[in-house]
Amino acid sequence: MKKHVLWLALCASLLSVNVSCESDNSQSSSSLGSSSSETSSSSSSSSSDVSSSSSSSTSSEVSSSSSNSTSSSSSSSSSSEIGSDNHYYDDIDFSKTGAQLKSELADLISDHEVHTYNDLWQGYYSTDVDEEGHIIDIYSTSEYTPGKDQNKGSAKKEGDNYNREHVIPQSIFNKRSPMVSDIFHILPTDSYVNNKRDNYPFAEVSSASYTSTNGTKVGSSATSGVSGTVCEPIDEYKGDIARIYFYFVTCYQDKMSSFNSFAPFSKNSFPSLSNWAIDLYMEWSKNDPVSEREIERNQACYEYQNNRNPFVDIPGLEEQIWG
């Protein structure tokens, strides 16, 4: 009996020692696991910090590079992003201003192909026809089919036909070439309204004696500096008209002194425009910015006679010359 009791006591003691060992092993394992987890966390954190630092540094460098690239691109946009070729203005020094810049542009754009006056009818198919196949008319809401409705004799009312409108009247340069057939300033317009406009300068009207269907006015001048009868285009085309004038007096600056007197002009190579015309046309150009329609027409004119209107290609260029 005593031996049996001693045997049970020994077994209980051994069992207690085994449980204690397992508990210690478990705690040791748990501690190692915790240590491993912390090491992993530390490694992950370190990796994350390195990644973040690297990413931030790379991002900063890329951003800086991108910024420098954008700045470089912006400085060259005036010469390399124009039209479809695209190096038309590569030889122009756009750091110049006033008469110097105007003269450089004159040398460039005056070198163009000269067509006959009759060629304009065909040219209009590419320069002045809308998506519906109608003539784009700055004076009227009438719809004209190219060719079919052109120049059918004297127009008795608006909507009879369209003809060729010299934005700068041909009487000013005595119908001389190349001005007489330069498509940049000769637009297809309603014949009747064209006749009403006559050779009056473009300015603002105080009291209209005639108003076309689209709102073009002919009447007494409201513009300080010019008196008598003037023609005022609708707001949608005021900027277009202004940029045509900027083009004309730049392209033909060497001929300005030989032109007949015309209210918007000064008879010199610079500034070539009278003070009131500079002020008004620059205001018109600012309030009616270059449109997609003008951009498309400029490209079509380039393909027709191989020169461009820089005041359409480079919005605000007039400020650099006359501002």
Side-chain angles (χ1 to χ4, degrees):
M1 179 68 176
K2 187 180 287 186
K3 291 181 179 180
H4 181 70
V5 170
L6 289 173
W7 174 250
L8 288 176
L10 180 60
C11 287
S13 177
L14 291 172
L15 180 63
S16 174
V17 172
N18 186 50
V19 169
S20 176
C21 285
E22 286 180 1
S23 177
D24 288 345
N25 289 340
S26 175
Q27 287 179 8
S28 177
S29 175
S30 174
S31 177
L32 287 171
S34 174
S35 175
S36 175
S37 176
E38 287 173 2
T39 302
S40 175
S41 174
S42 173
S43 174
S44 174
S45 174
S46 175
S47 175
S48 176
D49 289 345
V50 171
S51 176
S52 174
S53 172
S54 174
S55 174
S56 175
S57 173
T58 303
S59 175
S60 175
E61 289 172 5
V62 170
S63 176
S64 174
S65 174
S66 175
S67 175
N68 292 337
S69 175
T70 300
S71 175
S72 173
S73 173
S74 176
S75 67
S76 65
S77 64
S78 59
S79 62
S80 64
E81 296 176 7
I82 305 299
S84 62
D85 335 278
N86 241 325
H87 300 283
Y88 186 73
Y89 297 105
D90 278 0
D91 294 330
I92 300 298
D93 182 358
F94 284 102
S95 68
K96 294 181 178 179
T97 59
Q100 288 186 322
L101 178 55
K102 184 169 179 282
S103 291
E104 281 201 12
L105 290 167
D107 290 341
L108 175 66
I109 67 177
S110 61
D111 182 17
H112 64 81
E113 186 176 346
V114 179
H115 291 269
T116 68
Y117 187 46
N118 199 53
D119 287 340
L120 289 168
W121 297 120
Q122 188 62 37
Y124 291 149
Y125 280 88
S126 62
T127 61
D128 294 276
V129 175
D130 64 20
E131 293 178 354
E132 285 72 41
H134 298 128
I135 289 291
I136 298 172
D137 182 359
I138 68 168
Y139 288 161
S140 171
T141 58
S142 301
E143 293 187 348
Y144 293 119
T145 301
K148 177 177 175 290
D149 296 322
Q150 76 184 36
N151 205 28
K152 294 180 175 179
S154 180
K156 297 181 179 180
K157 66 182 184 305
E158 189 174 341
D160 278 356
N161 56 68
Y162 73 93
N163 62 7
R164 297 160 292 189
E165 161 71 313
H166 288 77
V167 173
I168 288 76
Q170 54 185 330
S171 60
I172 305 305
F173 47 82
N174 296 319
K175 300 183 179 181
R176 284 183 293 159
S177 182
M179 292 76 67
V180 72
S181 60
D182 186 336
I183 200 167
F184 275 103
H185 85 106
I186 308 172
L187 310 177
T189 65
D190 183 276
S191 299
Y192 186 78
V193 184
N194 185 351
N195 185 56
K196 287 290 185 180
R197 184 258 164 148
D198 200 11
N199 63 353
Y200 300 129
F202 286 101
E204 294 182 343
V205 169
S206 61
S207 178
S209 57
Y210 171 78
T211 303
S212 76
T213 55
N214 84 338
T216 300
K217 300 174 184 176
V218 176
S220 54
S221 174
T223 300
S224 178
V226 58
S227 58
T229 303
V230 298
C231 178
E232 180 177 353
I234 61 174
D235 291 347
E236 181 182 349
Y237 293 116
K238 283 179 177 176
D240 304 51
I241 294 294
R243 287 179 282 274
I244 287 173
Y245 268 78
F246 298 151
Y247 162 86
F248 188 92
V249 300
T250 299
C251 188
Y252 303 113
Q253 67 170 19
D254 63 332
K255 297 177 173 59
M256 294 297 296
S257 62
S258 68
F259 290 166
N260 297 324
S261 295
F262 186 42
F265 286 175
S266 61
K267 295 169 74 69
N268 49 40
S269 61
F270 187 83
S272 305
L273 290 168
S274 60
N275 289 335
W276 72 262
I278 292 173
D279 292 342
L280 181 64
Y281 296 163
M282 284 181 67
E283 179 184 347
W284 282 4
S285 186
K286 182 178 180 180
N287 293 339
D288 175 32
V290 174
S291 64
E292 188 63 31
R293 152 71 187 145
E294 277 183 277
I295 293 171
E296 291 172 356
R297 186 176 198 273
N298 194 29
Q299 180 62 26
C301 289
Y302 171 64
E303 293 169 3
Y304 176 79
Q305 66 178 42
N306 202 34
N307 72 334
R308 307 184 68 84
N309 183 344
F311 301 95
V312 172
D313 282 330
I314 310 167
L317 180 61
E318 61 272 13
E319 293 283 351
Q320 202 168 335
I321 294 176
W322 291 285

